[in-house]
């Protein structure tokens, strides 16, 4: 099993550009999450999904969009990138809602200049 | 939603010192609780967990006991090593859109 994979590992964007961060998991997990981690800070939940076709906003959803067309994939879309979106983005997945042990991807480091 | 409050860092210890990182939770009922560790340049990985009150989770010499009377899940290790230098996060279950991780505690262990 590859676990949770994320692409790309690094990306530099110019202000106003758009991009999609890819996330995939091969563990047949229903729950998937996107977090951002600013330098020296904790994790903030951007969006989360309880299954294909179902997504919900987390703590900091503004400037982002997600879709969940399959159980495996959960891409995060940035429209009109801004410097405030410079961060490390982590995708995670879990099997159970109650015993919510999350498996994290390696992260995507995004810089917006 | 369920949330945790975690001791702020950074924490700097000498090798073989005793470690405690405090975590208290706010929740309806008694959710599962987790400690995750993040080594430099990596994603988070599960360190240990407790699924119900009075459970003790343990892994790699770390322990945490889920104490419902004090709503706490403090992380402890009797003798830290340089390789334990990392950021530690306390987190509650269950999954929800307002689930909140702890802020993270950076531990540096000096030889």
């Amino acid at each position: 099993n590859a676990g949770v994979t994320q692409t790309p590992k690094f990306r530099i964007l110019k202000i106003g550009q758009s991009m999609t961060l890819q996330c995939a998991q091969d563990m047949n997990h229903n729950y998937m999450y996107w977090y951002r981690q600013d330098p020296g800070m904790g994790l903030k939940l951007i969006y989360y999904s309880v299954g294909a076709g179902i997504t919900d906003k987390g703590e900091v959803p503004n400037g982002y969009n997600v879709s969940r067309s399959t159980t495996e994939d959960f891409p995060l879309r940035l429209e009109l990138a801004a410097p405030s979106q410079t961060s490390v983005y982590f995708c995670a997945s879990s099997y159970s809602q109650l015993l919510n042990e999350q498996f994290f991807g390696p992260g995507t480091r995004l810089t917006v200049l | 939603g369920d949330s945790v409050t975690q001791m702020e860092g950074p924490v700097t210890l000498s090798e073989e010192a005793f470690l405690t990182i405090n975590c208290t939770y706010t929740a309806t009922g008694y959710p599962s609780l987790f400690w995750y560790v993040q080594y430099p340049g990596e994603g988070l990985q599960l360190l240990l967990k407790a699924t119900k009150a009075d459970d003790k989770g343990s892994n790699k010499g770390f322990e945490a006991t889920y104490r419902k009377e004090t709503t706490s899940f403090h992380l402890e290790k009797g003798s830290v090593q340089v390789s334990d230098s990392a950021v530690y996060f306390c987190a509650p279950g269950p999954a929800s859109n307002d689930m909140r991780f702890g802020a993270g505690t950076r531990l540096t262990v000096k030889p």
Side-chain angles (χ1 to χ4, degrees), chain B residues 25 34 55 63 72 82 95:
Chain B
Y25 66 89
F34 304 89
D55 262 3
E63 293 184 340
S72 66
V82 172

Side-chain angles (χ1 to χ4, degrees), chain A residues 31 33 35 37 40-43 45 48 56-59 90 94 96-106, chain B residues 32 34 36 38 41-46 49 51 89 92-104 106:
Chain A
Y31 296 85
Y33 314 83
Y35 296 93
Q37 184 178 35
M41 306 293 284
L43 298 177
L45 183 65
Y48 115 108
D56 201 356
K57 295 177 181 178
E59 184 180 1
F90 290 103
S94 67
S96 164
Q97 196 231 1
L98 289 180
L99 180 59
N100 186 27
E101 176 182 340
Q102 296 184 47
F103 294 80
F104 284 80
Chain B
S32 50
F34 304 89
Y36 290 86
Q38 184 180 31
E42 298 183 10
L44 278 71
Q45 55 186 275
L46 181 70
K49 64 187 177 187
T51 59
F89 293 90
S96 72
N97 64 340
D98 59 358
M99 172 189 64
R100 300 284 184 267
F101 272 64
R106 181 176 300 278

